[in-house]
Amino acid sequence: MDKLQEQFHDLFQKHGVFTKVNKDHKIFLEGERAKEIYYIKTGAISISQETENGKELTIRICGPNSIIGEGSLFCNFTYHSMTAKVLEHSSLYVLSRKSLELLLVEQPNLMVEYMKWLQIENLKHQSRLRDLVLNGKKGALFSTLIRLTNTYGKPFENGNIFIDFPLTNTEIANLCATSREMINRMLNDLKKQNILSFDKGYITVHNVQILKDEIACENCPLQICRID
C-alpha cells in the first residue's frame, strides 16, 4: 500500500461506512445518479460499460485499495457512466460524494495527491483504449494479458508468470471488446505455441516477451500498463 492509498484508507475508515457485498451484486449502474464513492478493502470489482450494440466492455478490474465511483467528484455530471459489478465477495468503505469533496478541500496536500492519482488513471485508460483500437482483436488480447501479468502476475524463476486472478473466457472477452468464441480460439492457439497455459480460470504466461513483440510494446511504466 503506497502513501496515497494509506491516506485514503484512513480517510474512508474514519468517515465512511463499512459494508460487505456478495458476488454478482451491482454496486452502481450506468446512468444511475452518483451519490457515493467507494474504497475497496478486500475483493474484486469490475468496472464496465455497455456499447451501442449491447456488448460489454470491461474498463477495469479493481482490487484492494482501489477507489471506484470517483468520476463524479467535483463534477456537474452526477450520473455514473459505468457499471460496477462484484466479481468475488468484497468489503468496502462507502462515503458520500459531497463528504469526500469537503474532506479533500480541507486537506490541500491530499487533494494534490488525489489529482496526481487521477491523472495516472486517465493515462491507464488512454493506453488501454489505444491498444484496443490500434492493435486489432489479437493485439487487444495480447495487451490485456500483458496488463494482467503486471497487475496480478507472480513471476517464477523459470520466467513463467502466473496470473493470480481467475477469469472466465467471457470476462477476458469483455476486457478485449470481442466475442468469447474469438478469445477461445486465440487462447488455444497461444497454448499450442506454448506461449501460455491455463487451468480452471488461471492463466500462466510462459513467454511474455513474444506478446510484447507482437504488439510492438512501448514498455510503458508499470503503473500505467495495468488492468486495475
Side-chain angles (χ1 to χ4, degrees):
M1 187 185 295
D2 62 27
K3 183 179 178 181
L4 178 62
Q5 289 173 331
E6 288 182 6
Q7 289 176 304
F8 267 97
H9 176 269
D10 293 344
L11 190 73
F12 274 82
Q13 187 178 46
K14 182 178 180 180
H15 300 280
V17 175
F18 182 74
T19 185
K20 294 181 179 181
V21 285
N22 294 322
K23 182 179 178 180
D24 295 329
H25 176 75
K26 302 287 180 64
I27 296 174
F28 53 78
L29 298 171
E30 186 176 345
E32 196 172 64
R33 193 168 185 83
K35 298 179 181 179
E36 296 165 324
I37 312 297
Y38 306 84
Y39 181 96
I40 303 173
K41 182 173 176 60
T42 62
I45 295 169
S46 70
I47 307 298
S48 63
Q49 196 167 35
E50 193 170 295
T51 62
E52 290 183 1
N53 58 7
K55 289 185 178 180
E56 182 181 339
L57 172 61
T58 301
I59 308 297
R60 302 163 60 195
I61 296 179
C62 304
N65 307 316
S66 297
I67 300 170
I68 59 174
E70 76 286 349
S72 63
L73 279 179
F74 302 104
C75 180
N76 291 329
F77 184 77
T78 56
Y79 291 87
H80 290 294
S81 59
M82 301 178 192
T83 295
K85 179 182 177 181
V86 181
L87 297 180
E88 59 184 42
H89 185 76
S90 303
S91 59
L92 313 163
Y93 289 110
V94 186
L95 189 59
S96 74
R97 181 169 61 90
K98 291 296 184 183
S99 295
L100 184 54
E101 288 176 352
L102 289 172
L103 288 166
L104 288 175
V105 169
E106 291 171 357
Q107 303 180 59
N109 290 338
L110 185 57
M111 171 76 86
V112 171
E113 293 301 317
Y114 170 76
M115 296 302 293
K116 291 178 181 178
W117 170 80
L118 197 61
Q119 181 62 19
I120 290 173
E121 291 301 302
N122 289 333
L123 290 172
K124 282 160 61 175
H125 299 332
Q126 290 173 21
S127 174
R128 278 205 65 225
L129 291 174
R130 177 201 64 199
D131 287 348
L132 292 177
V133 172
L134 297 182
N135 292 326
K137 302 302 182 185
K138 185 177 178 181
L141 173 61
F142 287 10
S143 66
T144 296
L145 290 170
I146 293 167
R147 284 177 166 80
L148 285 168
T149 62
N150 290 338
T151 309
Y152 298 106
K154 291 188 174 181
F156 295 108
E157 290 182 1
N158 61 3
N160 291 347
I161 303 175
F162 174 70
I163 298 174
D164 192 16
F165 190 88
L167 288 166
T168 65
N169 284 7
T170 298
E171 289 168 338
I172 296 173
N174 291 341
L175 284 166
C176 300
T178 189
S179 67
R180 180 175 60 83
E181 292 75 17
M182 183 169 287
I183 290 297
N184 289 345
R185 289 196 297 271
M186 290 192 291
L187 286 176
N188 282 321
D189 286 343
L190 291 173
K191 184 177 181 180
K192 290 176 183 176
Q193 298 172 51
N194 199 35
I195 295 172
L196 57 74
S197 57
F198 41 85
D199 180 47
K200 298 179 181 178
Y202 289 93
I203 295 175
T204 299
V205 177
H206 304 303
N207 195 329
V208 72
Q209 191 58 48
I210 288 180
L211 301 179
K212 291 182 177 182
D213 292 343
E214 284 288 329
I215 61 170
C217 178
E218 298 175 356
N219 290 312
C220 299
L222 292 181
Q223 64 181 148
I224 301 298
C225 188
R226 298 175 62 87
I227 209 74
D228 58 0

